[in-house]
Amino acid sequence: MDLALAEARAAAARGEVPVGAVVTDAAGTVLARAGNEVEARRDPSAHAEMLALRAATAARGNKALGDCTLTVTLEPCPMCAQAASFFRIRQVAFGAYDPKGGGVEHGARVYAAPSCHHVPEVVGGVRESDCAALLRAFFAARR
Amino acid sequence: MDLALAEARAAAARGEVPVGAVVTDAAGTVLARAGNEVEARRDPSAHAEMLALRAATAARGNKALGDCTLTVTLEPCPMCAQAASFFRIRQVAFGAYDPKGGGVEHGARVYAAPSCHHVPEVVGGVRESDCAALLRAFFAARR
């Protein structure tokens, strides 16, 4: 989560909503890391998780990330939660909970749908206060 | 839907699950069209809708597609349904219903979550039999 937080801080410095994500393999080796790039790419789908997942498979030359963990500073939205399932991520570990936009513990609760073919193990609230503080500070400064 | 079907057929010819998507503006002008490229890109998130949405904003140089329709041959999955919301798509028109993987009328039902900030108008079953026949033929040939 240290690396994901560093990516989130770097995103904030670029004027992006501070969310960072890291994909690690079973040995803990970092396959990919990314921060939110919605503004830079002018792409509303360029969430940190999507970028990290794609970069991880590209780095590995393999679509499947079945032994991997996706660590992200904020509860994934439904788009990213479903993407993690498609990439067959073993575990999703996230920091802050997101009642407004999350799709794992809130909202569409993507993994709770019986039709979700691959359900990652979910660990929420990892360094929750650090992750949430970063988001709060970013939005407070914008107001 | 003719163009989306053409993209789906082209995808099938490349060995991809035959799904095609088109983004059109309020005047009906095609901003982007794409077929499924999951295999070609080795990217499980390279669904036709994601590619068409990103290409449409790139073509326009603008993140917002608030006047646009996303036409797709298959009911979008939760990832693509949420992406269409983020891109502020006005209308999602789809062909075949997808009880196993869909996220609009089935499964996570992304737009039914109260936390979904932007809910596109949804029209399902557009040329349903043509769209479904293409998928059936593809999977029958693979068995």
Side-chain angles (χ1 to χ4, degrees):
Chain A
M1 190 60 87
D2 273 340
L3 278 180
L5 277 162
E7 288 292 338
R9 276 185 214 104
R14 298 190 304 265
E16 304 273 359
V17 173
V19 181
V22 177
V23 176
T24 45
D25 67 14
T29 307
V30 174
L31 296 180
R33 47 191 289 182
N36 186 7
E37 294 192 19
V38 166
E39 301 303 330
R41 295 184 186 226
R42 293 171 176 266
D43 174 359
S45 73
H47 287 191
E49 300 96 310
M50 300 294 287
L51 302 178
L53 289 166
R54 290 208 300 262
T57 52
R60 197 175 243 195
N62 188 328
K63 278 196 298 183
L65 300 174
D67 59 326
C68 296
T69 296
L70 171 68
T71 303
V72 52
T73 57
L74 181 66
E75 178 185 345
C77 74
M79 174 183 73
C80 294
Q82 182 63 58
S85 170
F86 287 146
F87 281 86
R88 309 198 77 74
I89 284 288
R90 188 183 65 79
Q91 185 188 75
V92 173
F94 68 83
Y97 289 87
D98 187 1
K100 285 188 186 169
V104 176
E105 305 285 352
H106 298 93
R109 294 176 201 271
V110 163
Y111 301 144
S115 56
C116 186
H117 303 295
H118 171 80
V119 175
E121 183 189 323
V122 173
V123 183
V126 181
R127 297 192 55 188
E128 181 181 2
S129 58
D130 289 342
C131 294
L134 206 53
L135 285 154
R136 266 200 311 273
F138 180 81
F139 286 112
R142 292 232 146 175
R143 263 181 224 120
Chain B
M1 189 60 86
D2 272 340
L3 277 180
L5 277 162
E7 288 291 338
R9 277 185 215 103
R14 298 189 304 267
E16 304 273 359
V17 174
V19 180
V22 177
V23 175
T24 45
D25 68 14
T29 306
V30 174
L31 296 180
R33 48 193 286 182
N36 186 8
E37 294 191 21
V38 165
E39 301 304 329
R41 295 184 186 225
R42 294 172 176 266
D43 174 359
S45 73
H47 287 192
E49 301 96 309
M50 298 296 285
L51 302 178
L53 289 166
R54 290 209 300 263
T57 52
R60 197 176 244 195
N62 187 328
K63 278 196 299 183
L65 300 174
D67 59 325
C68 294
T69 295
L70 171 68
T71 302
V72 52
T73 57
L74 181 65
E75 178 185 345
C77 75
M79 175 182 72
C80 293
Q82 182 63 58
S85 169
F86 286 146
F87 280 86
R88 310 198 75 74
I89 284 288
R90 187 183 65 78
Q91 186 187 73
V92 173
F94 68 84
Y97 289 86
D98 187 1
K100 285 187 187 169
V104 176
E105 305 285 352
H106 299 92
R109 294 177 202 271
V110 164
Y111 301 144
S115 56
C116 186
H117 303 296
H118 172 79
V119 176
E121 183 188 325
V122 173
V123 183
V126 180
R127 298 192 54 187
E128 180 179 2
S129 58
D130 289 342
C131 294
L134 206 51
L135 285 155
R136 265 199 312 273
F138 179 81
F139 287 111
R142 291 231 148 177
R143 262 179 225 122

